[in-house]
Amino acid sequence: MTTIADERFAAARALLGMVEGMIDGATLVDRESRVVWFSEGQLALLGKPDLADLVGQEIERVIPHSRMREVVETGHPHPLDIIQYGDRWLLVTRLPLRDETGEIIGAIAFALKDSIPYLRPIAERLHQMQSRLSRMEQAFSAKRAVRFTAEHILGASPAMRQLARLLRRAGEVGSAVLLLGETGTGKEMAAHAIHAASKRMSRPFVAINVAAVPENLLEAEFFGVAPGAFTGAARQPRPGKFQIAHEGTLFLDEIGDMPLGLQAKLLRALQDGEVEPVGSNQPLRVDVRIIAATSRPLADMVRAGTFRQDLYYRLNVLPIHLPPLRERAGDVELLASRFSEQTAAAFGVAIRPLTAAAVARLERHDWPGNVRELANVIEQIYVRSDGARIEADHVADVLPSAAHENEASPVLDLGGAVARLERSMIADALQQAAGNKREAARFLGLSRSSLYAKIKQYGAA
């Protein structure tokens, strides 16, 4: 039975077929943002896959950075957007589709050909802006230039779609941002993406890893050094990261490792917009947007008194949590495929696609190192194995623990793990104490009666 939605999708396809010569590609999605149809031009842009293989997939699985879901969920059209597609720039229009009651049933997008005469002035203006931006980017050193944009952050899972929305929002506002997440989740990449989407994108992006700088040098790194401030200091002033990042963005990685004394000076700099170089009494005005990041629980540190509450509130204006890889259902395959492409290009060899069994083995891993660990695993597979494809055995060679995981439903035996650890620690303590149970109990921080009970429980001698 044909529905009204089917009729409207058919009408939209017919209309687009009539103007095929005026567009580079067209896309239709349903109310769940799943692919309904691609025009021949759009399929060509995608590498000419079979349309039947794409219909029904979530649009982000096919076009990772598509904004069609945003149109479906908000009902707001995007009359004109300029996007980069490979080495081409396209002018794209996205519109919601509604039924006779006004309910959204999907969305349509099409890219207008840049050969249409009335678009030439826009295209020429865009080319001029691109050329100007390229010259400005070349003026910055590689350390100061933006290395990543939102397009580099891959993921089609709901958690990553939410992250994409937050990063776009962070780019639109000028408030401080606090990036929270485990090691390897891509906090620095997210900071670059926010800067690239902000009004400060043409100004410096300066990053400093607080944990990597000795405590006695942190103040100089942040605020600079005045001439002759101390014995051996240069005769010329040395600017700090605040001065270098003036009118741009300062990314403070591992902010949770900052000493309390410097936290107070950082708070003062953020409140007053001024810094005092080491050895100087002359404040300098600075205009810097702060993006901080940490893998530590700052809220707990505030309660423990190891992180200043007032600084925490100053930084925590727009908190953004970067999800760990184990919470990004379906993204492992997408990321692994991209890392395979990048590794093949770096090594100058043919791309090795992943088999379904290899993907399944990767998805069973817990990924404590997150995206960084996954990239490392794929590189190791290229280095340590041969073949036209990445097989499950190749993954097992790099992640041997995966070979022992339950294929159907992994079980976490916390009680058994604790028992094994206690048994091992008791045996080590008895060995160090030469069998003296009183000394062994002291090593372990237990009473003798508790130790005797555990020895009886585990059968240790």
Side-chain angles (χ1 to χ4, degrees):
M1 179 178 178
T2 302
T3 66
I4 294 177
D6 291 334
E7 293 176 353
R8 290 179 183 267
F9 285 137
R13 287 197 296 269
L15 175 61
L16 289 171
M18 295 172 59
V19 296
E20 180 73 24
M22 300 175 61
I23 60 177
D24 276 322
T27 300
L28 273 174
V29 299
D30 63 16
R31 69 179 76 237
E32 303 297 331
S33 299
R34 295 173 301 206
V35 174
V36 172
W37 174 79
F38 284 128
S39 69
E40 291 298 327
Q42 184 65 40
L43 290 172
L45 289 173
L46 295 172
K48 298 184 178 179
D50 190 337
L51 177 60
D53 295 335
L54 304 181
V55 171
Q57 292 193 39
E58 291 184 325
I59 185 64
E60 295 88 356
R61 295 284 175 193
V62 183
I63 306 175
H65 305 293
S66 171
R67 297 183 65 184
M68 292 289 277
R69 186 178 298 274
E70 185 178 332
V71 175
V72 172
E73 291 180 351
T74 65
H76 297 152
H78 298 166
L80 190 63
D81 192 11
I82 301 174
I83 64 171
Q84 187 173 10
Y85 211 101
D87 59 353
R88 301 179 61 186
W89 286 87
L90 302 176
L91 295 165
V92 176
T93 296
R94 306 182 190 92
L95 302 171
L97 292 175
R98 302 177 186 271
D99 61 17
E100 70 280 0
T101 66
E103 183 180 352
I104 293 177
I105 59 172
I108 184 173
F110 49 89
L112 300 174
K113 283 188 180 296
D114 56 10
S115 59
I116 299 175
Y118 62 80
L119 289 180
R120 284 178 182 165
I122 300 176
E124 290 173 0
R125 179 68 181 274
L126 174 62
H127 178 72
Q128 293 172 359
M129 293 172 65
Q130 268 193 278
S131 299
R132 182 182 177 190
L133 178 60
S134 297
R135 290 193 299 270
M136 294 175 68
E137 287 179 341
Q138 292 170 4
F140 292 109
S141 66
K143 187 176 181 181
R144 306 291 175 234
V146 174
R147 299 200 305 272
F148 307 107
T149 66
E151 282 69 31
H152 291 92
I153 303 176
L154 293 180
S157 62
M160 292 306 290
R161 292 200 294 265
Q162 175 64 12
L163 176 63
R165 294 189 189 98
L166 289 173
L167 293 181
R168 284 198 294 269
R169 179 59 180 164
E172 294 169 356
V173 301
S175 305
V177 176
L178 181 60
L179 301 174
L180 304 166
E182 298 175 8
T183 298
T185 49
K187 293 187 287 295
E188 182 167 358
M189 182 178 287
H192 274 272
I194 293 171
H195 175 73
S198 73
K199 296 178 181 179
R200 298 174 182 261
M201 65 172 296
S202 61
R203 306 303 299 164
F205 177 92
V206 180
I208 179 171
N209 188 320
V210 175
V213 181
E215 184 174 340
N216 61 329
L217 298 179
L218 271 173
E219 185 174 359
E221 281 293 313
F222 270 94
F223 307 127
V225 180
F230 48 82
T231 303
R235 295 182 179 179
Q236 296 296 324
R238 184 169 72 84
K241 293 298 190 287
F242 267 90
Q243 293 100 307
I244 297 172
H246 181 59
E247 296 184 342
T249 300
L250 180 59
F251 174 52
L252 307 178
D253 199 6
E254 299 300 343
I255 189 70
D257 289 59
M258 179 176 286
L260 277 169
L262 189 59
Q263 290 179 29
K265 294 181 180 180
L266 173 61
L267 177 64
R268 181 70 177 269
L270 298 181
Q271 288 176 336
D272 299 343
E274 295 180 343
V275 297
E276 281 190 14
V278 175
S280 171
N281 293 321
Q282 183 65 40
L284 302 175
R285 295 292 300 174
V286 288
D287 173 18
V288 171
R289 197 249 180 111
I290 297 293
I291 301 177
T294 183
S295 57
R296 303 181 64 179
L298 284 192
D300 293 343
M301 294 175 66
V302 169
R303 287 189 287 270
T306 56
F307 197 87
R308 290 183 64 102
Q309 185 179 55
D310 42 10
L311 178 59
Y312 174 69
Y313 291 144
R314 194 80 183 183
L315 299 174
N316 194 40
V317 178
L318 179 55
I320 298 178
H321 176 74
L322 278 75
L325 189 54
R326 61 183 173 276
E327 296 178 5
R328 297 171 54 180
D331 284 349
V332 170
E333 180 179 5
L334 184 67
L335 290 165
S337 298
R338 174 57 62 88
F339 292 145
S340 181
E341 294 174 4
Q342 293 175 345
T343 304
F347 289 177
V349 298
I351 297 173
R352 297 169 62 182
L354 288 87
T355 65
V359 171
R361 182 61 58 84
L362 289 172
E363 289 180 337
R364 286 199 301 274
H365 187 59
D366 195 45
W367 299 112
N370 292 293
V371 179
R372 186 182 295 126
E373 181 186 2
L374 176 57
N376 177 265
V377 165
I378 298 300
E379 183 174 353
Q380 285 191 62
I381 290 172
Y382 269 80
V383 171
R384 294 163 59 173
S385 67
D386 297 313
R389 304 169 73 85
I390 294 178
E391 307 284 353
D393 290 345
H394 300 148
V395 178
D397 289 340
V398 179
L399 298 174
S401 60
H404 306 293
E405 292 172 357
N406 187 318
E407 294 287 331
S409 57
V411 177
L412 300 178
D413 182 11
L414 180 60
V418 171
R420 288 191 295 273
L421 178 60
E422 286 190 338
R423 185 184 295 112
S424 174
M425 292 179 67
I426 290 171
D428 289 344
L430 287 170
Q431 184 178 2
Q432 292 180 40
N436 188 315
K437 293 183 175 62
R438 177 178 294 183
E439 282 297 302
R442 186 175 63 82
F443 290 156
L444 293 168
L446 298 173
S447 66
R448 278 187 295 170
S449 60
S450 295
L451 178 60
Y452 291 148
K454 289 186 179 293
I455 290 175
K456 182 177 180 180
Q457 176 185 353
Y458 298 129

